[in-house]
Amino acid sequence: MSSLTPGVVAPAPTSERPARAAPEPAAVAPKRSAPPARLGRVPLIAFLAGVGLLVCAVTSALSRATLTPSPMIYWTGLLIIVLPIIYRLCSPKPSSGERLTLVCLLGMALYGVKLARDSLIYTFPDELVHAFNADQIALDHQLFNANSVLPVTPDYPGLEGATSALMTMTGMSSFGAGIVVVGAARLVLMIGLFILFRRISGSPRVAGLGAAIYAGNSNFLLWGGQFSYQSLALPLFVLVFVALSERDAAPRAAAGAWVVPIVLGMVAVVLTHHLTSYLLLATILALMLARRVAGRGESMPALWPLAAVAAGLTAIWLAVVAPGTAGYLWSPLSSAFTSILETLTGQVSSRSLFGADESARAAGVGSAPLAARIVSFTSVLVLLVALPFGLRRVWRRYRRQPFALLLGAAGIGFFGALGMRFVSSAWETGNRATEFLFIGLAFVSAFVALLVISRFAERRPHAAPWLGPALVTSAVGLVLVGGAISGWPWDAQLPKPVRATVEGRSIESEPLGVARWATEHLPEGSFAGSEADARFFLAPGGLTAYAGKNPDIDNILKEPVLKSWHLPTLRRLGLRYVVVDRRRRSADIIRGYHFELRPPAGQPDLVLPRAVVAKFEQLPPAARVFHSGRVAVFDLEARG
Amino acid sequence: MRGHRDLVVATATAALCALVALIAPPEGVRLVAAAPLCVLLPGYAITAAVFAPAPLGRSQVLLFSVGLSLTTLATGGLVLHLLPGGVRGASWATLLFGVVFAGCAIAARRRPKPRRASLPRQTPRLRPTHGALLLGAVLCTIAALALSWSPLPAENVVGYTQLWMLPAPGSEGAGVRIGVGSAERRSLAYRLEVRQQDGGAPVSSRLVLEPGQKSVRVVGVRGRSPGVPVRVTALLYREDRPGKVYRRVSAWVQGA
């Protein structure tokens, strides 16, 4: 206490002054001269991120070695990565450069966690499909090759075309090249979110926290890091919106230049992913509306020409190159809509969150443990509670900013899309939508984080200055872990072995083994198989394989007797070979790839009755040409 | 491009990367060369060209360098698909170098005056402790990836054995190729029995396979009438379970 005249309150020393949120300047054009670069806490935090990544990798390795490590070790590794970054971002001290570096570190470290699950082979369902497309481009030197499992994917060759550049120049596999391309896309996403939020808010601190909070969306850790077209399309979507926001902020004379990256980005999005291109157009239209609400329509460069370009590109691509997209999307979207109505009117019961769905039951998996559900629900609750406070902040300070209004609306829309998870046929549609809408929620939540820090300091001036940031860090860490839990089945968070070494030699799981065999001995064959088997036949098999319900290969394989339409369907599709997999989890596109496990690492596989195999034995011209226990391959034209 | 050091460096690097990516023998070296050519340089050149009169801040340059490189890759595949020659390494290298060269040339023309460099001049000061921490981070990352990409012993996986049989192609007489592959968790001894539909004594043989080991053999088939298909069946028994058929396959073979 300083010695002053009684009654006069001495100003508190700097360290004890209530931490106030940094003043939020109006959006300004970026400075031309960069401040002196400083590392700040980056080296220490990078080291901790490396340690966290190693902990996650060790846990994944122990899981692949069937040693059943506790998932708590894995989550601890994630928290070691995440918490120091969030804590540092809460501080007012870091420079803008340091904040950007930390945001990139967070995004890339979590991408490393996803890579550490893979063992030099793709095992995510969409990865196998897109890897096949990339392999075919590298082989045939052309785009638009057919894909029997997801026929629409070759019509959007942006990701695979990009990957083919590295593959054809270096001879790399689609696995290695895909890691580089998706890694670069992840970097674009993190930098793009930071710059976008900084442009709108004028605050690097808000930008850093917002971009970091975005990592808490349920698809960020695993789904969004897979080799799939949305993993490239979403970052390009963000790139376009960064360019739009920069264009709005630029002097009129310089605004025209921004049209180039905007249009280039639009073209790339249209070539890469159907839904993202439609969302891009919808978001531009929503931005036009937001400008009207903000009363800024006249003072900013016109958006309608860009909307017209987006609409034209999308329509042309849909009509000329990818007409099958309409049928592909119509089924799940119409089912989602119908299912929502039925659930709302009580005709069907709502979907059980974290309950075992049909695939999980087929794999013998139960529901997620109670603790995991509590964490996941709490993370959503934190975001829901934060939303109104963040919206109020955004409305008070940024209601003249169209982008801010748009992001606020997206934050509200997130919870609407989240509700779709309670509807059986709509949960996937809702899941995909939340990845985009979370951008708005992350932006809004960043303001709440700073509000909590400043209010905590104001109301507890004698408390340690780190308590407020620690509280926010804990909440954001909870959001990240809760998002990761809800984004992937609990039992599949840690990988299971697809390959293993025994007595110094390498062996592969049964579905991978049959795919390798077919590639070597029946390279020209066409196969009918279960969902998981068919995907391995695509990649790394490089073969034609049909699966699923359209055509209904699933029924052909699971029925104990041959129905009158089974063989004609197979003949019509030109499928000479049938891969009959008695493992029930072979129909599960997430769990169907690994070895059968013995306790305590897992439970014996649930199997289909022997009749599903025997029915093909009874066909005179057919022959069982391959048998590995659970899997048999029949040649339906063996007799000729 | 004289006087624009960054543009000269970008163009020269792109040329070097393109050459090395195409001709260097080790794949790792080719990747090191191809990566910047694919995911950095084209976007940098486009950004430099578009924003020549009013350069962007460093973070924006980084974002659009990588981002517009990805857009170039996504779109470039379609361009190459439409051109003669198709999507090949040489055409990719040519296209990407062409984008870099054109972008840098346009940037050089549009920039107001020659600049020494637009690349960041100031690098962070690296204290020994910072260096050690960053090195530690890199080593942890390398260790993590090396561990994740190494197949590991897995005690609790359930092993299996493959048995397959296909008509032997191009053999003088009729025959079948029979393969046995072990993905078991220990060495196993088997008895393989091959039977023909029209009777005759089965052909039996013994084999021992280590985990991961495979065996392929050709067995001749004699039919009663030439050109009439003969059904051949192969049965695999484990010597530790001699009474139970472990695997069974069959094939139709044209009689010799």
Side-chain angles (χ1 to χ4, degrees):
Chain A
M1 181 77 85
S2 65
S3 55
L4 290 178
T5 306
V8 175
V9 177
T14 307
S15 62
E16 294 177 8
R17 283 202 189 112
R20 303 183 67 182
E24 313 293 359
V28 295
K31 294 179 183 174
R32 294 210 176 186
S33 58
R38 291 179 299 153
L39 288 176
R41 295 281 187 267
V42 169
L44 173 63
I45 294 175
F47 175 72
L48 290 172
V51 168
L53 175 60
L54 187 57
V55 169
C56 290
V58 167
T59 319
S60 293
L62 290 173
S63 180
R64 281 198 311 278
T66 66
L67 295 175
T68 59
S70 167
M72 294 306 299
I73 306 174
Y74 175 74
W75 298 117
T76 302
L78 275 183
L79 291 173
I80 293 173
I81 294 172
V82 164
L83 296 182
I85 293 173
I86 304 297
Y87 185 78
R88 181 63 176 167
L89 288 171
C90 287
S91 168
K93 294 177 185 171
S95 65
S96 183
E98 183 181 344
R99 293 181 193 278
L100 176 59
T101 305
L102 291 172
V103 161
C104 293
L105 181 64
L106 177 66
M108 299 312 291
L110 294 180
Y111 182 57
V113 171
K114 191 273 174 191
L115 294 184
R117 285 182 96 258
D118 302 330
S119 183
L120 282 175
I121 188 169
Y122 287 133
T123 55
F124 282 43
D126 283 3
E127 289 182 325
L128 299 167
V129 171
H130 292 284
F132 173 79
N133 292 342
D135 291 339
Q136 293 303 302
I137 292 172
L139 200 64
D140 293 342
H141 310 296
Q142 60 182 14
L143 307 182
F144 308 115
N145 299 291
N147 185 301
S148 50
V149 171
L150 279 181
V152 77
T153 53
D155 293 341
Y156 294 89
L159 172 72
E160 295 93 331
T163 309
S164 75
L166 279 168
M167 291 174 70
T168 54
M169 280 196 284
T170 66
M172 286 182 78
S173 67
S174 53
F175 180 82
I179 286 175
V180 175
V181 171
V182 174
R186 172 60 65 89
L187 193 62
V188 167
L189 176 65
M190 301 311 292
I191 302 175
L193 287 175
F194 181 87
I195 293 176
L196 180 67
F197 293 166
R198 186 181 64 183
R199 169 59 67 198
I200 299 168
S201 66
S203 166
R205 201 171 173 202
V206 168
L209 280 169
I213 292 171
Y214 182 78
N217 99 68
S218 58
N219 288 338
F220 187 86
L221 181 61
L222 294 180
W223 188 265
Q226 68 173 326
F227 182 62
S228 176
Y229 41 14
Q230 189 167 323
S231 302
L232 175 61
L234 173 59
L236 296 179
F237 171 96
V238 171
L239 185 78
V240 170
F241 279 93
V242 172
L244 283 169
S245 69
E246 295 295 322
R247 176 174 173 253
D248 285 354
R252 276 227 179 245
W258 287 101
V259 173
V260 175
I262 291 169
V263 172
L264 289 176
M266 282 181 182
V267 171
V269 169
V270 169
L271 263 62
T272 301
H273 189 227
H274 35 70
L275 274 177
T276 307
S277 62
Y278 309 150
L279 281 170
L280 179 66
L281 173 61
T283 311
I284 293 175
L285 296 174
L287 186 59
M288 293 168 70
L289 179 62
R291 280 184 174 186
R292 285 184 170 269
V293 172
R296 301 287 299 278
E298 302 300 321
S299 63
M300 291 180 164
L303 272 176
W304 71 263
L306 295 171
V309 169
L313 288 170
T314 305
I316 290 171
W317 197 260
L318 183 62
V320 176
V321 179
T325 309
Y328 171 71
L329 292 178
W330 176 250
S331 175
L333 290 177
S334 62
S335 296
F337 182 71
T338 306
S339 200
I340 290 170
L341 288 178
E342 289 175 345
T343 303
L344 288 175
T345 56
Q347 292 177 55
V348 298
S349 56
S350 61
R351 177 175 170 267
S352 168
L353 297 183
F354 298 104
D357 58 14
E358 186 184 338
S359 296
R361 288 194 296 273
V365 173
S367 310
L370 180 62
R373 300 193 212 188
I374 290 173
V375 168
S376 188
F377 277 121
T378 308
S379 70
V380 174
L381 197 61
V382 165
L383 293 169
L384 184 61
V385 168
L387 180 66
F389 296 96
L391 287 175
R392 189 171 73 164
R393 199 84 166 178
V394 167
W395 180 255
R396 278 184 175 175
R397 294 190 175 192
Y398 302 102
R399 59 174 172 265
R400 294 267 298 160
Q401 280 265 28
F403 271 97
L405 295 181
L406 185 66
L407 292 178
I412 298 170
F414 170 83
F415 290 96
L418 200 63
M420 294 168 76
R421 284 182 165 230
F422 289 94
V423 182
S424 299
S425 299
W427 79 267
E428 187 172 353
T429 305
N431 185 43
R432 300 293 182 112
T434 55
E435 216 171 338
F436 292 85
L437 297 169
F438 203 98
I439 296 174
L441 184 60
F443 177 74
V444 168
S445 299
F447 289 99
V448 180
L450 292 182
L451 184 66
V452 168
I453 293 171
S454 66
R455 288 288 170 85
F456 194 88
E458 282 171 15
R459 293 182 182 181
R460 294 173 187 251
H462 302 295
W466 53 265
L467 271 177
L471 184 67
V472 168
T473 300
S474 304
V476 176
L478 179 73
V479 167
L480 261 74
V481 172
I485 289 172
S486 60
W488 203 252
W490 174 258
D491 63 290
Q493 294 279 354
L494 292 177
K496 294 188 172 58
V498 175
R499 297 185 307 173
T501 56
V502 177
E503 298 179 5
R505 291 173 182 259
S506 182
I507 60 173
E508 294 178 328
S509 68
E510 204 168 342
L512 184 55
V514 65
R516 297 265 201 221
W517 171 82
T519 305
E520 183 178 352
H521 296 287
L522 298 173
E524 303 299 323
S526 296
F527 300 83
S530 64
E531 293 272 17
D533 292 344
R535 278 168 167 75
F536 264 160
F537 272 60
L538 286 188
L543 302 166
T544 299
Y546 283 76
K549 294 194 181 296
N550 184 21
D552 204 349
I553 304 295
D554 192 58
N555 186 275
I556 294 175
L557 295 177
K558 286 182 176 172
E559 284 290 318
V561 295
L562 280 172
K563 295 182 178 172
S564 59
W565 59 270
H566 284 175
L567 291 180
T569 298
L570 293 172
R571 270 188 228 112
R572 177 172 55 82
L573 295 169
L575 302 178
R576 175 171 172 173
Y577 300 96
V578 178
V579 182
V580 186
D581 191 336
R582 290 184 61 206
R583 303 172 309 138
R584 285 192 179 270
R585 64 180 167 90
S586 68
D588 188 326
I589 59 175
I590 291 176
R591 302 176 180 89
Y593 310 103
H594 57 79
F595 279 97
E596 180 177 358
L597 302 177
R598 300 184 307 194
Q603 300 299 321
D605 278 337
L606 298 175
V607 294
L608 294 167
R610 290 186 188 278
V612 301
V613 179
K615 65 179 188 275
F616 291 104
E617 305 269 20
Q618 292 155 17
L619 294 173
R624 186 201 300 200
V625 296
F626 176 96
H627 187 205
S628 60
R630 300 283 194 224
V631 181
V633 179
F634 287 87
D635 178 355
L636 299 181
E637 299 170 18
R639 190 168 178 172
Chain B
M1 282 184 240
R2 187 186 287 181
H4 301 282
R5 186 164 148 250
D6 64 315
L7 302 178
V8 172
V9 168
T11 307
T13 305
L16 182 64
C17 286
L19 274 173
V20 172
L22 289 176
I23 65 175
E27 186 177 300
V29 174
R30 293 203 298 273
L31 173 61
V32 169
L37 180 62
C38 288
V39 298
L40 186 66
L41 294 172
Y44 182 82
I46 295 171
T47 304
V50 171
F51 299 102
L56 303 177
R58 280 187 297 176
S59 57
Q60 293 163 311
V61 169
L62 178 59
L63 171 66
F64 288 99
S65 294
V66 181
L68 292 179
S69 294
L70 291 176
T71 63
T72 304
L73 292 179
T75 317
L78 181 63
V79 171
L80 295 180
H81 172 79
L82 296 171
L83 293 176
V87 183
R88 296 175 189 271
S91 49
W92 265 119
T94 306
L95 173 71
L96 294 175
F97 172 74
V99 169
V100 176
F101 181 80
C104 291
I106 294 170
R109 280 179 163 262
R110 296 189 69 212
R111 278 183 179 173
K113 59 181 177 181
R115 295 160 46 132
R116 285 194 167 270
S118 63
L119 294 171
R121 283 186 164 276
Q122 292 173 315
T123 53
R125 287 173 298 165
L126 203 62
R127 294 183 210 149
T129 44
H130 287 176
L133 287 168
L134 288 173
L135 180 63
V138 170
L139 291 175
C140 283
T141 303
I142 292 172
L145 294 178
L147 181 62
S148 66
W149 291 343
S150 306
L152 299 169
E155 290 297 317
N156 293 307
V157 298
V158 175
Y160 62 93
T161 301
Q162 296 177 340
L163 175 68
W164 57 270
M165 182 160 66
L166 294 169
S171 53
E172 288 189 4
V176 288
R177 276 184 308 137
I178 303 175
V180 184
S182 172
E184 302 285 354
R185 294 184 53 251
R186 57 187 174 90
S187 172
L188 283 182
Y190 306 89
R191 181 169 60 87
L192 178 66
E193 197 173 280
V194 183
R195 299 174 181 175
Q196 282 189 211
Q197 174 191 27
D198 53 358
V203 176
S204 221
S205 57
R206 182 178 185 270
L207 63 158
V208 178
L209 292 179
E210 305 287 332
Q213 197 175 8
K214 298 178 186 178
S215 166
V216 180
R217 57 194 64 194
V218 177
V219 176
V221 173
R222 283 194 177 176
R224 288 186 179 169
S225 307
V228 175
V230 177
R231 192 178 185 97
V232 182
T233 302
L235 303 173
L236 189 71
Y237 299 85
R238 284 173 51 162
E239 279 199 347
D240 57 346
R241 300 174 197 169
K244 185 177 176 184
V245 175
Y246 190 46
R247 300 285 184 259
R248 177 170 55 84
V249 294
S250 62
W252 286 98
V253 180
Q254 296 295 322

